[in-house]
């Protein structure tokens, strides 16, 4: 038996928030970001959440229940919410090679928390999936809408400039690798 990867509700005495069991044993929580792993064996889920502790939860019906390793009175529960879409599984927490016009190609990151990181452009940017497209939100005046080709692990589209801009440029991205742990906080 195995646990499905995807989104889970993680509950403790302080409330409930969303976590992700990612392929390859990566555990990710946007709200409490830290390098973390998970393993499931014999009906038991073990989570090593780094600075947030270690937890052991046992499968009980359609949920998981347990607590901090060595102190189950410090209880935790988890409930499956939904699986990753194929697009989320490919794009979230990944590194891509971006090519635009005649510019030198550069590596960019799609972080698990929705941040888009481009080393050559200062600022805080974001991305979101919209059906078969990825929208990169650079700022209030410029965005990229890219069509995602799942089979080729590639994206292509153009920069959507502000209404005052006359030009748009072609943008292509090629998948490079997974970004361990969802990306640095």
């Amino acid at each position: 038996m195995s646990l499905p990867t995807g989104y889970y509700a993680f509950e403790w005495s302080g409330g409930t928030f969303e976590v992700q069991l990612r392929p390859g044993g990566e555990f990710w929580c946007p709200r409490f970001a830290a390098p973390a792993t998970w393993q499931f064996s014999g009906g038991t889920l073990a989570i090593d959440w780094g600075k947030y502790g270690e937890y052991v939860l046992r499968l009980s019906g359609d949920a998981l229940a347990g607590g901090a390793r060595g102190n189950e009175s410090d209880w935790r529960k988890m409930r499956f919410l939904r699986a990753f879409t194929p697009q989320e599984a490919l794009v979230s927490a990944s590194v891509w090679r971006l090519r635009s016009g005649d510019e030198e190609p550069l590596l960019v990151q799609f972080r698990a928390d929705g941040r888009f990181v481009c080393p050559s452009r200062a600022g805080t940017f974001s991305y979101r999936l919209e059906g078969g497209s990825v929208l990169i939100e650079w700022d209030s005046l410029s965005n990229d809408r890219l069509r995602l080709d799942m089979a080729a692990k590639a994206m292509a589209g153009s920069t959507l400039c502000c209404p005052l801009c006359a030009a748009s440029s072609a943008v292509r991205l090629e998948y490079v690798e997974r970004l361990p742990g969802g990306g640095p906080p």
Side-chain angles (χ1 to χ4, degrees):
M1 170 180 223
S2 64
L3 286 178
T5 56
Y7 295 90
Y8 286 77
F10 192 88
E11 183 181 351
W12 69 304
S13 60
T16 303
F17 50 90
E18 199 171 86
V19 299
Q20 299 171 16
L21 295 185
R22 299 179 145 278
E26 290 182 36
F27 179 88
W28 174 248
C29 176
R31 188 168 165 194
F32 300 103
T37 60
W38 68 275
Q39 283 186 329
F40 185 74
S41 177
T44 300
L45 174 66
I47 300 169
D48 181 348
W49 201 342
K51 67 182 181 180
Y52 296 110
E54 293 183 26
Y55 302 94
V56 178
L57 292 86
R58 286 167 199 72
L59 191 58
S60 175
D62 63 350
L64 294 143
R69 184 179 298 279
N71 181 13
E72 288 206 17
S73 65
D74 187 6
W75 64 270
R76 301 294 188 275
K77 295 180 182 177
M78 274 179 59
R79 174 177 46 83
F80 182 71
L81 297 173
R82 71 174 181 85
F84 294 119
T85 66
Q87 293 83 358
E88 287 172 327
L90 178 63
V91 175
S92 180
S94 62
V95 177
W96 296 68
R97 183 170 291 104
L98 184 143
R99 300 175 191 275
S100 179
D102 294 332
E103 295 177 31
E104 188 72 26
L106 51 113
L107 295 180
V108 296
Q109 300 174 357
F110 291 89
R111 302 239 175 117
D113 63 2
R115 286 183 295 151
F116 175 76
V117 177
C118 178
S120 68
R121 191 161 179 187
T124 303
F125 312 113
S126 62
Y127 76 94
R128 68 177 185 265
L129 295 168
E130 294 182 346
S133 296
V134 177
L135 180 65
I136 300 170
E137 299 169 325
W138 292 99
D139 53 39
S140 61
L141 298 178
S142 175
N143 296 309
D144 291 335
R145 181 174 302 281
L146 306 168
R147 184 54 122 180
L148 182 58
D149 181 338
M150 294 290 295
K153 291 188 175 183
M155 299 181 214
S158 61
T159 299
L160 307 172
C161 292
C162 67
L164 304 175
C165 302
S168 69
S169 62
V171 178
R172 293 184 331 271
L173 284 91
E174 297 130 8
Y175 178 85
V176 175
E177 64 186 352
R178 300 289 322 140
L179 188 59

